[in-house]
Amino acid sequence: MSETMVAPGTSGAASGGLQQVDVAVVGAGFAGLYCLHRLRKAGFSAVVLESGGDVGGTWYWNRYPGARCDIQTIDYSYTFDPELETAWQWSEKYATQPEILRYLGFVADRYDLRRDIRFGTKVTQATWDETSGRWLLTTDNGASVSARDYIMATGCLSQPKPPEIDGVQDFKGEIYFTGRWPHNEVTFAGKRVAVIGTGSSGIQSIPVIAEQADYLTVFQRTPNFAMPAHNGPAPADRAALLNSDRAGYREQARASMAGVPYPQQMDVSWQLTDAERRARFEKAWATGDLVYILSQLWADQAVDAEGNALVADLLREKVRSIVKDPETAEALCPDDHPFGAKRPCLETNYYATFNRPNVTLVNLRKEPITAITATGIKTDKRNVDVDIIVFATGFDAMTGAIRAIHPITGRGGRSLSDVWADGPETYLGLTVAGFPNLFLITGPGSPSVLSNMAVSIEQHVDWVVDRLAALRSAGFTTIEPTETAQAGWQRHLADCSMVTLHRLANTWYTGANVPGKPRGVMPYTGGVGPYRGICNEVVDRGMLGFRLTGPRGAEQCNDGEIVRLQPDVRLVLNWLAEMNLPPIESMGAQGARDFVAQFNATRPAGRPVGEVLDGALPAGEDMLKYRLYRPATPGLHPIVVYFHGGGWVLGDEQSDDPFCRDMCRRTNMIFISVGYRHAPEHRFPTAAEDGYAAAKWIAEHALELGGQPGPILVAGWSAGGNIAAVTCQLARDRGGPEIGGQLLLNPVTDCSTEHPSYTENATGYFLTRSLMYWFKDMYCAPADRGDPRISPLRGNLKGLPPAFVVTSEFDPLRDEGIAYAEALAAHGVPVGQLKARGHFHSSFTMVDVIITGVSGREQMAEALRMFAKVPEAESTAPQVHAAAS
Ligand code: NAP
């Protein structure tokens, strides 16, 4: 039953009394309007408090000339009501601000929303009252509000940041902020105008102002990437796609990465020729769609600095081809951030505007503004007198509207500003520990500004209102995330931020645009679809991470972290689970080999190296194939003898091709991947003996192979890690070859399955316990399992080469790898360890798929360089993913 005591809009609300509602919502933009509609439909009483004079939120305030959306309007619309979708027709591909505002007004009227919105009303304070279990909101206009639940639909970009330039108050002319544009018309004709700032708002308004003003001077601190919008009618192909299956189209948007239905691009840049890349780029340039260019060129553009630089170069080429003055063109070319890491812009005549005789660009990197004077703007090189200054200087984004607008006091009198002093912390970007019944729509830690906001807003509102309804049915009155869940979410956010390049740019995404603001990637970078899946999973797992309480001591708390896997590992495992594959061990040896070959054919091609050479080497009576990967740099290189994974049954010298290429590039060393013989045709100890024979032969032929003479290094993954470890023991016992170091990646070191990781990670992480049983049965008889050539952990560990042992948290083999590292160390062997949090058995060999594996491979490369005594500078791979796993 509703708790409304005083209906909004009644004298109680207006006269300064107390308005009691179930839910108070702040903000009447896209989010607040939908929220009110959903709350009403769910039977809650609600009031929306809005400081503006009408609905619209960001579109109410940002009325500057040229303002438009930059997600195609057919995607930037509500989807909750199919009738609404057909009742409104957009006139353009990218609607103007007035049209979007009309749309939001149309929505407000259609669902009769205005009667529950208090316009011109600012919240001045919000306080959680422990005793009543309600929020009390005081306002600057009319009644305070008492509400069970408090929803902030305040937008991510609604708090303009101050100009931060001395002397603004001295200026005698007109001053405007794009984020607070007046409702009356601003006349530029006959005026000298300055625009400070070249983000989306500046880039949209500059061409329009230039057409009207007598003279326009643009003050640019950082050039931004921009591409033409090619505005006009909605593109026929997108409209046809939508109209052919509206529900399906919307569903795809919800499952996509950015909230716009584009497929996942699979081709990687190095698979494409220059001409092919250029053709794709030209198509994107002609398409005029940010989501398209950000996602559809090549798979590595958003996750890898090299792949990204290829796009950035082509974009800079465009700028130079449009802007006639070379110095101005150069100043307009971004060079301090990867494309997409800072919000790119859509433009209409922006670059061409700088060819106009009445426009000058002032490059603040070369001549910073020193002050604003009574007559204009002073840089350290000149005075520019103007009549109007337009500040397009942006927002205190994501947290500004939540933190700065009014004090929010939660449990125990703690203020949100204090709690977030070092940066925002949330659970799911929706809730905050210590602030019961407070919900943030598209808050920090959710996809929000990295997505089509319309899709993200609907998802958040639906989730919140559905939860409130479920709570009500279950008799609970408060909901609050636990500290454990919130800390886990922060860790997951940090993990996600390692996947994209956003962390490499100083932007409002990271708080870098506001002096003194704590730094960190604020939006969720893991994608809209995966995020939605996580929010749903929280519910499916009994409101994991939330404490629910109700009358008479009712309480439910299912504490825990919702995501413990690395984000890309989670995606891969979900994808594998969806494929519903039969267990590999049920396929038989040949079937399993065929499956692996098929599986490997779908992965991204390995990166180019200097040379790839196939050969064969003797092992007893047989010849073993090998594949040699040589770095592109001249000279003799240290040699790493590599043994592939596959449980002694599967794989070959090519099956870990991407890994070998990547490590060859990172280490600047020759990698020789050896095709040892497999079980069940060749059972124990063939693989171990083959490994040793290969290492010996390679060491003896190092010079012929183009490698440095002297100690070789050995490396291997999984069963290959077992062979590498065994090779070191055999080499020590049989008088050579000399081995300078061993890299053991998720190695089998013990034929026992007693280690707890065998139970903890028995299923669900691709390599299963049952598969390991099968591998071991294929390779060796139970009687052999104590032999150090299969269980090196049981061998003599003294005098072995230094080791770097990598284990993954979600791997059945985790504990035996750790045990081996510890045992080596106990026997005086220098050992480095990487215990990879959130990773699974294949994390490091799924190169260019598990992007969070990059930092682990960097550490492996560093270890190999140390073993070979090679200085770090000699590596050739990019070092952009520098964070530790
Ligand atoms: P913004 O992207 O933060 O751009 C602000 C600009 O002002 C930057 O060029 C910044 O330079 C400059 N600046 C800030 N303080 C300055 C100072 N003290 N001196 C000199 N220059 C200064 O802000 P915005 O253009 O308002 O856009 C913000 C976001 O709103 C966009 O990224 C977008 O997400 C959204 N938006 C969307 C649309 C649309 O959908 N069409 C339109 C407008 C805005 P630095 O880069 O050096 O800090």
Side-chain angles (χ1 to χ4, degrees):
M1 189 174 121
S2 163
E3 296 174 25
T4 306
M5 303 289 288
V6 179
T10 65
S11 56
S15 68
L18 183 66
Q19 181 178 6
Q20 299 240 21
V21 285
D22 296 334
V23 188
V25 180
V26 180
F30 251 102
L33 292 180
Y34 180 47
C35 208
L36 177 57
H37 174 65
R38 277 286 339 255
L39 286 166
R40 274 196 196 152
K41 283 194 75 163
F44 293 104
S45 65
V47 63
V48 175
L49 303 166
E50 166 57 57
S51 61
D54 198 355
V55 298
T58 197
W59 298 106
Y60 175 85
W61 298 107
N62 287 268
R63 305 169 171 253
Y64 59 84
R68 289 177 186 274
C69 60
D70 58 8
I71 294 282
Q72 291 199 27
T73 338
I74 56 171
D75 297 302
Y76 191 67
S77 309
Y78 290 117
T79 66
F80 64 86
D81 180 353
E83 283 180 19
L84 170 65
E85 287 209 49
T86 46
W88 180 269
Q89 291 302 315
W90 293 105
S91 66
E92 288 181 282
K93 177 181 175 189
Y94 297 108
T96 59
Q97 174 270 337
E99 187 175 8
I100 301 173
L101 199 55
R102 278 200 302 281
Y103 171 70
L104 292 171
F106 174 80
V107 171
D109 292 339
R110 186 180 172 93
Y111 302 101
D112 188 21
L113 299 177
R114 283 195 172 86
R115 69 182 154 87
D116 282 327
I117 305 175
R118 284 170 54 184
F119 293 107
T121 304
K122 253 192 191 158
V123 178
T124 51
Q125 194 159 341
T127 308
W128 172 252
D129 177 22
E130 299 273 3
T131 318
S132 62
R134 295 177 72 84
W135 282 94
L136 178 67
L137 277 63
T138 54
T139 72
D140 68 349
N141 180 15
S144 296
V145 176
S146 167
R148 172 82 64 207
D149 299 291
Y150 175 26
I151 300 179
M152 297 203 73
T154 38
C156 298
L157 292 155
S158 41
Q159 178 73 2
K161 83 188 179 101
E164 300 148 5
I165 303 172
D166 289 343
V168 179
Q169 66 288 350
D170 300 333
F171 182 61
K172 298 280 184 262
E174 300 162 52
I175 286 184
Y176 300 102
F177 286 81
T178 48
R180 285 287 180 274
W181 202 259
H183 285 225
N184 54 301
E185 195 168 335
V186 176
T187 307
F188 294 106
K191 305 262 177 71
R192 297 160 303 168
V193 182
V195 174
I196 302 177
T198 52
S200 301
S201 307
I203 283 175
Q204 284 185 335
S205 58
I206 283 164
V208 183
I209 296 173
E211 278 176 12
Q212 298 169 18
D214 198 29
Y215 205 91
L216 171 65
T217 310
V218 175
F219 293 82
Q220 172 193 271
R221 193 163 65 184
T222 311
N224 230 334
F225 286 106
M227 62 176 293
H230 299 304
N231 202 16
D237 58 337
R238 301 302 294 174
L241 204 60
L242 173 67
N243 292 326
S244 66
D245 176 11
R246 198 168 273 271
Y249 182 96
R250 297 302 188 204
E251 220 29 65
Q252 276 178 43
R254 293 177 190 122
S256 69
M257 292 304 276
V260 179
Y262 281 116
Q264 192 77 25
Q265 178 55 246
M266 299 305 284
D267 299 336
V268 282
S269 61
W270 58 91
Q271 274 181 305
L272 305 166
T273 64
D274 282 353
E276 285 168 335
R277 285 197 297 263
R278 190 170 285 273
R280 286 183 179 208
F281 172 77
E282 289 295 346
K283 184 176 173 205
W285 184 264
T287 300
D289 183 321
L290 283 177
V291 181
Y292 183 87
I293 197 172
L294 284 165
S295 64
Q296 298 299 300
L297 294 182
W298 36 89
D300 48 316
Q301 67 180 92
V303 295
D304 179 79
E306 278 182 294
N308 188 278
L310 294 164
V311 196
D313 284 346
L314 291 165
L315 284 162
R316 284 187 283 263
E317 230 178 70
K318 285 289 184 193
V319 178
R320 292 181 189 117
S321 74
I322 302 169
V323 180
K324 292 192 178 126
D325 173 50
E327 198 183 331
T328 306
E330 226 35 58
L332 287 165
C333 286
D335 63 359
D336 73 335
H337 61 274
F339 171 61
K342 187 169 186 155
R343 174 69 140 74
C345 310
L346 276 187
E347 54 92 15
T348 302
N349 295 329
Y350 176 65
Y351 292 116
T353 294
F354 293 93
N355 295 332
R356 293 175 67 103
N358 70 331
V359 176
T360 295
L361 180 73
V362 175
N363 182 352
L364 300 181
R365 296 268 179 223
K366 292 204 168 150
E367 46 173 315
I369 296 176
T370 51
I372 291 180
T373 65
T375 56
I377 297 172
K378 192 168 167 345
T379 71
D380 66 2
K381 290 209 176 114
R382 61 181 127 170
N383 285 320
V384 181
D385 283 347
V386 292
D387 306 301
I388 297 178
I389 301 177
V390 173
F391 285 97
T393 41
F395 300 87
D396 181 355
M398 314 245 9
T399 52
I402 303 170
R403 263 186 84 186
I405 284 186
H406 56 264
I408 301 174
T409 308
R411 233 186 246 294
R414 290 197 314 163
S415 102
L416 188 62
S417 287
D418 290 346
V419 170
W420 282 7
D422 295 329
E425 293 198 0
T426 65
Y427 183 38
L428 305 172
L430 270 163
T431 57
V432 186
F435 295 80
N437 296 9
L438 170 68
F439 298 94
L440 315 172
I441 302 300
T442 62
S446 74
S448 56
V449 291
L450 290 180
S451 69
N452 174 359
M453 286 299 273
V455 169
S456 287
I457 283 170
E458 284 192 339
Q459 185 252 333
H460 262 193
V461 170
D462 287 341
W463 194 92
V464 171
V465 178
D466 289 346
R467 299 292 60 74
L468 292 182
L471 248 59
R472 183 180 54 190
S473 308
F476 292 114
T477 47
T478 67
I479 172 170
E480 182 185 347
T482 67
E483 295 284 355
T484 311
Q486 185 164 291
W489 189 248
Q490 292 309 119
R491 221 177 358 260
H492 177 57
L493 287 179
D495 291 343
C496 287
S497 76
M498 296 311 296
V499 179
T500 68
L501 301 176
H502 290 99
R503 69 191 185 286
L504 302 180
N506 289 327
T507 66
W508 59 258
Y509 292 143
T510 64
N513 68 327
V514 175
K517 190 165 172 172
R519 299 285 182 94
V521 180
M522 289 186 284
Y524 180 78
T525 54
V528 162
Y531 174 80
R532 177 182 293 265
I534 290 168
C535 290
N536 293 343
E537 193 182 323
V538 165
V539 179
D540 295 344
R541 291 171 66 184
M543 292 303 284
L544 184 72
F546 282 104
R547 175 170 290 109
L548 315 176
T549 57
R552 292 175 292 285
E555 181 166 339
Q556 174 194 312
C557 182
N558 183 12
D559 203 1
E561 296 171 38
I562 183 66
V563 185
R564 291 181 55 212
L565 291 166
Q566 291 293 329
D568 39 10
V569 171
R570 185 175 186 276
L571 288 184
V572 166
L573 289 174
N574 283 349
W575 171 70
L576 287 167
E578 275 165 25
M579 284 166 57
N580 209 10
L581 297 165
I584 293 177
E585 58 272 30
S586 70
M587 299 176 183
Q590 194 48 49
R593 286 170 192 156
D594 294 344
F595 165 78
V596 169
Q598 225 177 11
F599 188 79
N600 284 348
T602 63
R603 68 190 173 184
R607 293 182 187 233
V609 294
E611 185 188 24
V612 176
L613 205 74
D614 289 328
L617 56 84
E621 304 290 290
D622 274 304
M623 294 299 284
L624 306 181
K625 287 185 184 172
Y626 69 79
R627 175 163 276 199
L628 181 150
Y629 301 86
R630 195 186 310 286
T633 52
L636 301 177
H637 302 91
I639 294 181
V640 181
V641 181
Y642 177 78
F643 303 108
H644 65 81
W648 307 279
V649 178
L650 315 173
D652 56 33
E653 74 285 355
Q654 299 182 29
S655 56
D656 292 349
D657 181 82
F659 180 75
C660 290
R661 286 171 183 267
D662 185 82
M663 292 302 288
C664 166
R665 287 161 58 88
R666 280 180 198 286
T667 55
N668 203 26
M669 294 178 191
I670 292 174
F671 263 64
I672 303 179
S673 174
V674 176
Y676 53 89
R677 284 171 291 178
H678 288 149
E681 296 86 345
H682 304 278
R683 282 168 65 86
F684 176 81
T686 309
E689 293 296 343
D690 279 0
Y692 172 71
K696 189 161 182 291
W697 186 88
I698 289 168
E700 287 164 1
H701 295 80
L703 259 177
E704 291 156 52
L705 295 164
Q708 279 176 10
I712 53 162
L713 308 179
V714 296
W717 170 49
S718 195
N722 173 269
I723 295 171
V726 169
T727 296
C728 290
Q729 295 193 8
L730 295 179
R732 176 203 54 198
D733 297 342
R734 296 178 183 177
E738 200 184 336
I739 296 178
Q742 46 181 328
L743 166 64
L744 309 179
L745 173 55
N746 309 109
V748 181
T749 69
D750 188 9
C751 248
S752 155
T753 50
E754 294 300 304
H755 301 278
S757 53
Y758 258 87
T759 311
E760 284 171 33
N761 304 320
T763 58
Y765 305 107
F766 196 53
L767 177 65
T768 60
R769 180 170 60 185
S770 151
L771 181 56
M772 277 310 300
Y773 285 161
W774 183 70
F775 282 147
K776 285 176 183 172
D777 288 345
M778 289 274 136
Y779 183 47
C780 60
D784 295 327
R785 293 187 184 178
D787 190 311
R789 286 174 299 168
I790 173 74
S791 292
L793 183 61
R794 305 186 195 189
N796 169 15
L797 302 182
K798 282 210 180 110
L800 290 172
F804 190 72
V805 183
V806 181
T807 52
S808 298
E809 185 180 3
F810 297 99
D811 181 0
L813 305 186
R814 179 193 67 204
D815 292 345
E816 63 191 272
I818 293 173
Y820 196 60
E822 288 172 355
L824 286 173
H827 286 82
V829 177
V831 180
Q833 267 200 79
L834 166 61
K835 295 179 183 174
R837 181 178 56 76
H839 282 287
F840 79 134
H841 189 71
S842 305
S843 280
F844 298 103
T845 49
M846 292 188 85
V847 178
D848 296 309
V849 174
I850 304 294
I851 307 297
T852 52
V854 171
S855 67
R857 286 196 302 278
E858 271 175 10
Q859 292 177 56
M860 294 178 219
E862 202 181 306
L864 289 173
R865 280 194 296 271
M866 208 177 68
F867 296 155
K869 304 182 175 58
V870 177
E872 188 165 336
E874 286 188 23
S875 118
T876 53
Q879 300 293 315
V880 292
H881 302 280
S885 266

